[in-house]
Amino acid sequence: MEALEAVAIGAAGVVAGGMNAVVGSGTLVTFPTLLAFGYPPVVANVSNNIGLVPGSMSAAYGYRRELRGQRGRILRFAVASLIGGLTGSLLLLKLPESAFDAVLPVLILTACVLVLLQPRLNRWLSNRKRGPRHKDGGVPVWCGVLGTGVYGGYFGAAQGVLMMGIFGAFLDEDLQRLNAVKNVLGSVVNGVAAVVFIIVADVSWAAAAVVATGATIGGLIGARIGRKLSPTVLRGIIVAVGLTASVVVIVR
């Protein structure tokens, strides 16, 4: 790997790590960068996934204060993320990328709408007289996390936007605390997918190592910045990134 290539991929890793900490979609930075330097799509996807794992972990560490009191929620959703990530990574080795590309823009735009409508949805759900709501959204949210994990294990771009859309629509919780959970679950999905890829797929370890270094730094920086954002600003960033991700996926 030449110096210029290493610097460019490392810089993309920093940006991706920061984006993943705040909202997600960091893959939309690192994946195209690897493609631009001539890596085959599947190798780029696999190497990128492995490289972003340390960044997700550093972002989760940066949000450790917001994780307090959420152990039960995290463990419950982590099971769904584990199953989903494993399933998605195996699908990557069997299905053409076009299968997920076709539905991705719809999923991302739906997530954006859910994030925008979060306050109204929470008020509406709270006012309904059907008994107490499950604090973690029950089966629908668990299945949503599972589905997001499947997609995350397969490709991962905007995984965080989708997850925050589901959380924001169904959980009456502070957005920063939900973002902290999102970072942990992203680590689970990327981690289990990385294990599968290491075992059975071709990996560019040089590219993965450079992405990992940059993403770790970016994850810590992103968590520091993201934790200071108001719910309104964070919601706006989620929607902006989600819309951009939709456009990128459609035109690429």
Side-chain angles (χ1 to χ4, degrees), residues 54-69:
S56 298
M57 296 175 65
S58 67
Y61 176 78
Y63 269 90
R64 60 192 180 280
R65 293 182 183 177
E66 285 74 18
L67 290 173
R68 292 173 182 171

Side-chain angles (χ1 to χ4, degrees), residues 136-150:
D136 289 333
V139 174
V141 175
W142 194 92
C143 291
V145 174
L146 174 65
T148 303
V150 173

Side-chain angles (χ1 to χ4, degrees), residues 67-180:
L67 290 173
R68 292 173 182 171
Q70 299 197 82
R71 178 178 298 178
R73 171 181 291 165
I74 291 170
L75 291 176
R76 187 175 297 109
F77 289 152
V79 174
S81 292
L82 181 67
I83 298 172
L86 178 61
T87 303
S89 61
L90 294 175
L91 286 175
L92 176 64
L93 305 177
K94 298 293 183 179
L95 298 178
E97 187 176 327
S98 59
F100 269 68
D101 282 351
V103 73
L104 176 58
V106 176
L107 293 176
I108 299 174
L109 290 174
T110 300
C112 291
V113 172
L114 292 176
V115 171
L116 281 175
L117 295 180
Q118 180 204 8
R120 291 187 179 184
L121 286 170
N122 281 335
R123 286 195 298 269
W124 178 72
L125 290 171
S126 297
N127 292 332
R128 296 187 68 185
K129 297 180 179 180
R130 293 188 178 181
R133 295 169 57 196
H134 193 292
K135 68 176 183 178
D136 289 333
V139 174
V141 175
W142 194 92
C143 291
V145 174
L146 174 65
T148 303
V150 173
Y151 169 70
Y154 186 88
F155 183 50
Q159 174 187 182
V161 176
L162 295 174
M163 195 173 296
M164 289 298 290
I166 294 170
F167 285 169
F170 294 98
L171 302 184
D172 189 10
E173 178 65 273
D174 177 73
L175 210 59
Q176 292 287 9
R177 284 170 58 80
L178 293 177
N179 201 36

